[in-house]
Amino acid sequence: MHLLLEPGRSIVGPAGALITRLLYKKTNGKKNFLVVDAAMNDLLRPSLYRAHHEIVPVRASEESEGSPHETVDVVGPICETGDFFARDRELPVTQEGDLLALLDTGAYGMVLASNYNTRPRAAEVLVDGKSVKVIRRRETVADLVRGER
């Protein structure tokens, strides 16, 4: 028997996280939304085929342990029905301005990112222990129109 394995995604997937900021909270009837500054152009997998990514607050774990939770949809600001990261997800209560981490985005985060809706792609940051380095700066609108005449 010949067995061939390609472990790429299982190694690279957990190596990345998309960090996003909660812009505002919105309620529509019984539905609660967290509108964040990341969008489907930054991480397409949830919109494309409902891929599940854990979403956690970026704060000390002692703060979130035992804190109240709420059921929310985590959505981006593009105003497309497909611009979402999670639906009916139980998350710790967050406030506007809080940071959230979408986990396990290393394999298909930036490689599937786009400039849809004229949105610059996010910066990429390498974290190695306590060392932090920007390895790809955030694009600007000027970067997006550079090749146009």
Side-chain angles (χ1 to χ4, degrees):
M1 177 190 308
H2 178 74
L3 181 62
L4 179 63
L5 299 175
E6 188 175 338
R9 180 174 173 218
S10 65
I11 293 170
V12 178
L18 173 62
I19 308 300
T20 186
R21 185 174 306 278
L22 176 56
L23 297 174
Y24 60 93
K25 298 174 107 173
K26 176 181 159 182
T27 301
N28 185 356
K30 292 183 178 183
K31 198 80 159 153
N32 297 309
F33 298 90
L34 302 182
V35 182
V36 297
D37 64 356
M40 61 190 276
N41 70 294
D42 299 307
L43 182 62
L44 188 58
R45 295 181 75 237
S47 177
L48 192 61
Y49 49 88
R50 301 197 189 286
H52 180 92
H53 290 269
E54 288 298 319
I55 301 174
V56 296
V58 178
R59 61 178 180 235
S61 60
E62 305 84 51
E63 275 184 58
S64 59
E65 283 185 32
S67 65
H69 284 65
E70 59 188 342
T71 301
V72 296
D73 284 11
V74 180
V75 301
I78 292 181
C79 295
E80 296 263 1
T81 57
D83 189 17
F84 68 90
F85 297 111
R87 291 199 167 132
D88 297 318
R89 186 79 60 89
E90 187 84 11
L91 295 177
V93 173
T94 54
Q95 304 303 318
E96 292 178 6
D98 285 355
L99 295 175
L100 298 171
L102 285 81
L103 304 180
D104 300 327
T105 62
Y108 298 112
M110 185 57 87
V111 73
L112 290 175
S114 72
N115 297 119
Y116 178 73
N117 210 28
T118 317
R119 289 179 50 89
R121 285 178 287 205
E124 287 185 280
V125 178
L126 176 66
V127 178
D128 183 11
K130 292 186 179 187
S131 173
V132 177
K133 296 177 184 166
V134 175
I135 57 174
R136 184 183 309 210
R137 68 171 173 77
R138 180 171 180 82
E139 290 177 321
T140 65
V141 174
D143 291 331
L144 301 183
V145 298
R146 178 175 295 122
E148 297 180 12
R149 295 185 190 264

